[in-house]
Structures are given as structure tokens and as C-alpha cells.
Amino acid sequence: YAGRPAFGAPFQLRYADEDALSCPLLPWSDTPPACDAACRAGCEALVLARKARRLYYTADRCPDPAAALANGGVDPCQTYGWDRLAFPHPTGPVLAFQVATVPRRLTDGSLDPTPLLRGAVVLLTTTSGMSPAGRVPLSSSGTKQAAEAPADAAAFDRSTIPGKEAEGVRFYVPYGGDLVLGFDPAVGASQVSVIR
């Protein structure tokens, strides 16, 4: 359960400050108090905030150099060359969509007047864990640019811009072959932009 989307209106599952929310039923006891509409709304808001809490970011910043001592003196960020890159933590919603229907066309060419049934649900199936992904710029002349190492990288959180709240982090990576690769980790590997 992640909330009740209104038909035809934008819906967002977004984190909220849990300290500002309250649920009279917590901590749970064998004899919970009566819970009215305001109580249920408060408890639902707290439950949804906890569901939207981001426990880990694939774009977390590199650890403090002192933490390398616990890793045998090897700083993994310096090993992979990302010691200067500060990744922004996304501030946008965990999930954003708008519910709508496409009317079915009947055999006579008219649109099906059947309304959306009460109790209809939107079911999303997800998987947990991280999935490795790679992006390389390609050109019509072959893969010469793809074989060149990137010079650096920049990460930009688009959710801080009004009207772009539902969008996440976009990466820009310059290559030596006069190319800049722009991509969003949430989309397929083929959905990249190459800027010259």
C-alpha cells in the first residue's frame, strides 16, 4: 500500500519528516486506543513516510579517507577515480505517476462508455537490490569514442527545479572524443543523449 491516487491527478509517494508526524497507536500495545479519522490519517502518513524513506543511495558520496584505514589502507573511491565527485542525494519523490484510462474502441467505432470500476487498483511490481549498468557513447563511425576513458563526471539533481520534482539525478560524462554523454540511471541503456 502506498496511498490512494486520485483519478486524473498527479500522485507522489514522497518522504516526509517522521519527527513531525504522529500516530497514537505507536508504540503498539495490547490495548490500543480508539482511532478516529484523524488518527488513521496521521498513522497512514507516518507509514507512507517510512515506506518512502531511502535507506541507501547508489550515488552515495565516497567515504571519509579515514575510513580507508578499516579497508586495509585502500580508499575505494580513489581506486576507481571518483574521489572528487560529490553526488547529490535525490530530493524528489520515490514514486510519481498519474492515473488515467484509454477508452476501448468498440466494433462499431464508438468509445466504450463503461466507467472505471470502483475498487480498481494500480499494481506495481519491483525488485530489490542493485543492478549494474554501463553507458558508452557510440558514433556512426564505430566505437572509437566508446573505447576512450571518460575525463570526469557531473551529477545534477533535477528534482530541485520547479516543474521537475518527479525527475531524478542526471549524469553528464565528457569523453576525449569531443563527446558528452548525458543519461538517467532510471532509464534503459539505449536512452542516452550524446552532446558534441
Side-chain angles (χ1 to χ4, degrees), residues 68-166:
L69 295 176
N71 193 29
V74 178
D75 185 342
C77 291
Q78 291 180 354
T79 301
Y80 295 105
W82 299 108
D83 55 314
R84 292 175 288 121
L85 182 59
F87 293 102
H89 280 184
T91 58
V94 175
L95 180 66
F97 60 87
Q98 182 169 323
V99 177
T101 60
V102 176
R104 185 173 57 116
R105 193 162 294 279
L106 301 175
T107 55
D108 63 359
S110 64
L111 297 179
D112 187 354
T114 306
L116 187 66
L117 297 176
R118 179 175 175 82
V121 299
V122 176
L123 181 62
L124 303 174
T125 303
T126 62
T127 58
S128 61
M130 295 193 324
S131 175
R135 309 287 192 276
V136 294
L138 299 175
S139 72
S140 58
S141 61
T143 58
K144 177 181 180 294
Q145 287 87 354
E148 297 176 358
D152 210 331
F156 179 69
D157 183 7
R158 295 169 295 180
S159 67
T160 60
I161 301 172
K164 301 276 188 180
E165 292 85 359

Side-chain angles (χ1 to χ4, degrees), residues 40-67:
R40 287 191 297 274
C43 292
E44 178 178 302
L46 181 58
V47 167
L48 293 180
R50 289 180 174 175
K51 284 188 175 184
R53 182 194 300 154
R54 300 184 186 208
L55 301 179
Y56 178 75
Y57 293 88
T58 56
D60 268 342
R61 292 189 65 163
C62 292
D64 188 285

